[in-house]
Amino acid sequence: LHAFNNKVESVYLWAQIADLVLAFLKNAIAYTYLIGLVINGKITVSEFLLYFQAVEGFTLLVTTIMKKLNTLKRQSMDISVVREAIDYKEVFKFAEGKSLEIEPNKDYIIELKNVSFKYPGKDKNVLTNINLTIKPKEKIAVVGLNGAGKTTLVKLICGYYDPTEGEILLNGVDIRTYNREHYYKLFSAVFANFSLLAGSIITNVAQSDDNINYELVYSSIEKAGLKEKIESLPRKYESNLNREVYEDATNLSGGEMQRLMLARALYKDAPIIVLDEPTSALDPIAEADIYNKYNELTKNKASVFISHRLASTRFCDRILFIADEKIVEEGTHEKLLALGGKYAQLFEVQSKYYREGESKDEK
């Protein structure tokens, strides 16, 4: 739908350009012809002015009609996007699926069996024949080059996508049998793309206006390292976000937004935490602070952590290196370095820049 909407915008832009070009040509031809008649003495100046006004009025009429038609066309395309969304076939089970009660102290095991996935309309798989088990309270890091399929893997685990082939099991049961909305409650996720609610900071953390646990909101914000910033604001936790709705809304920086999303995930307090590059907009000191708190933030929970910075994966129980549509290497940081494979090579490349930077600073 996003791609379709971009196409609509492009068509609308080109239609406007075509209208401007046609209007210019129309006027240029008419005025050139009238001036020629005056020069050749075929019409008087007064007749020229009369015809000039007639052409001007006719041009204005045609331009107005064309603008109205363009507006009508744009609205029709906008309605088409909405209709396409409404008519989109739902592939997941919701009310008709099995009920799933998420219990805080229960152990949940997620297993991917021979999972392959490709996006609709594509010929090539993003992931092929993935086999993976996520154990209770296990800390997993997912690393690899851009486009390797890290985020796709995580979204499959979270149930946002269904496998093209294979199956995903929750405690031995295919997740496709469950009410997908209930399954989503199993995860507290922070992705690169997120949305702000039109409301206060408290509302954005709790993602609700009702039955808010204020103490949990405050503790989640403090754990995410955003307490000092919020308490420095005039309205503190009641400060509104989203400038598109509130003129007095507070603007948070990219790093502060990431901390807010982390607080949102902590407030949800689900058994499994999923973090997709949660520190990409943070400065090195703030990033180190989040890493030092990672075990505390994920205490008694399983976690899946995506990062491009391999030095940040040391605190994880297991690291998955994705390349060529598969999990090509798996193990602890030390084990993968000793293996001397792709993980070790990428780690060496990244650490080389740090060493070079230190050498330049010393000089």
Side-chain angles (χ1 to χ4, degrees), residues 281-293:
L282 298 180
D283 60 70
I285 295 175
E287 183 181 34
D289 179 55
I290 292 294
Y291 292 153
N292 290 333
K293 292 180 178 177

Side-chain angles (χ1 to χ4, degrees), residues 30-43 48:
Y31 297 152
T32 302
Y33 177 70
L34 289 175
I35 291 169
L37 291 177
V38 173
I39 291 172
N40 293 323
K42 293 185 178 180
I43 61 174
F48 169 80

Side-chain angles (χ1 to χ4, degrees), residues 12-260:
Y12 181 68
L13 177 61
W14 280 110
Q16 285 184 313
I17 293 172
D19 284 345
L20 289 172
V21 172
L22 287 173
F24 174 78
L25 290 175
K26 233 178 10 225
N27 292 339
I29 292 170
Y31 297 152
T32 302
Y33 177 70
L34 289 175
I35 291 169
L37 291 177
V38 173
I39 291 172
N40 293 323
K42 293 185 178 180
I43 61 174
T44 64
V45 174
S46 59
E47 288 176 321
F48 169 80
L49 292 174
L50 175 64
Y51 292 137
F52 184 90
Q53 289 296 328
V55 169
E56 191 73 25
F58 179 75
T59 301
L60 180 61
L61 177 63
V62 172
T63 302
T64 303
I65 292 172
M66 293 298 292
K67 284 183 178 179
K68 296 293 184 183
L69 289 174
N70 271 335
T71 301
L72 186 61
K73 183 178 180 182
R74 174 65 183 272
Q75 292 172 344
S76 176
M77 288 181 170
D78 288 344
I79 291 171
S80 296
V81 173
V82 175
R83 286 298 302 271
E84 187 173 347
I86 292 172
D87 295 338
Y88 187 80
K89 185 179 179 182
E90 181 57 67
V91 296
F92 302 144
K93 290 183 178 179
F94 284 93
E96 67 274 19
K98 288 169 56 179
S99 180
L100 176 63
E101 292 294 328
I102 305 301
E103 302 172 26
N105 299 317
K106 184 177 179 179
D107 287 339
Y108 294 97
I109 299 174
I110 295 179
E111 186 178 2
L112 280 68
K113 280 191 169 183
N114 303 315
V115 167
S116 297
F117 180 81
K118 64 181 175 183
Y119 288 99
K122 302 295 183 181
D123 297 326
K124 184 178 169 65
N125 282 349
V126 179
L127 298 169
T128 301
N129 200 32
I130 300 292
N131 288 283
L132 171 67
T133 300
I134 301 174
K135 301 170 185 174
K137 302 178 180 63
E138 185 178 24
K139 313 292 186 275
I140 294 177
V142 182
V143 299
L145 299 178
N146 287 339
K150 303 183 294 296
T151 299
T152 301
L153 174 63
V154 165
K155 289 186 176 180
L156 282 164
I157 292 169
C158 291
Y160 299 148
Y161 301 150
D162 264 349
T164 309
E165 297 176 20
E167 57 184 355
I168 301 173
L169 309 177
L170 173 63
N171 290 350
V173 179
D174 193 324
I175 67 170
R176 283 175 283 206
T177 64
Y178 288 119
N179 180 325
R180 192 59 62 105
E181 187 177 0
H182 293 177
Y183 180 76
Y184 292 153
K185 293 178 181 178
L186 194 63
F187 302 91
S188 291
V190 178
F191 290 102
N193 296 323
F194 51 80
S195 59
L196 282 178
L197 300 178
S200 67
I201 289 172
I202 290 175
T203 301
N204 270 275
V205 172
Q207 298 188 82
S208 173
D209 287 323
D210 303 319
N211 303 318
I212 296 175
N213 184 335
Y214 289 91
E215 289 304 317
L216 183 55
V217 169
Y218 301 145
S219 66
S220 299
I221 288 173
E222 184 174 7
K223 287 178 182 177
L226 201 55
K227 179 180 178 181
E228 185 177 347
K229 167 65 179 180
I230 291 176
E231 293 194 346
S232 70
L233 300 174
R235 296 182 61 195
K236 300 187 184 330
Y237 297 91
E238 294 296 334
S239 302
N240 286 322
L241 300 177
N242 199 326
R243 275 284 174 92
E244 294 180 2
V245 179
Y246 299 103
E247 292 183 359
D248 65 340
T250 299
N251 272 337
L252 298 179
S253 68
E256 289 164 349
M257 284 299 303
Q258 284 194 319
R259 288 181 181 273
L260 183 70

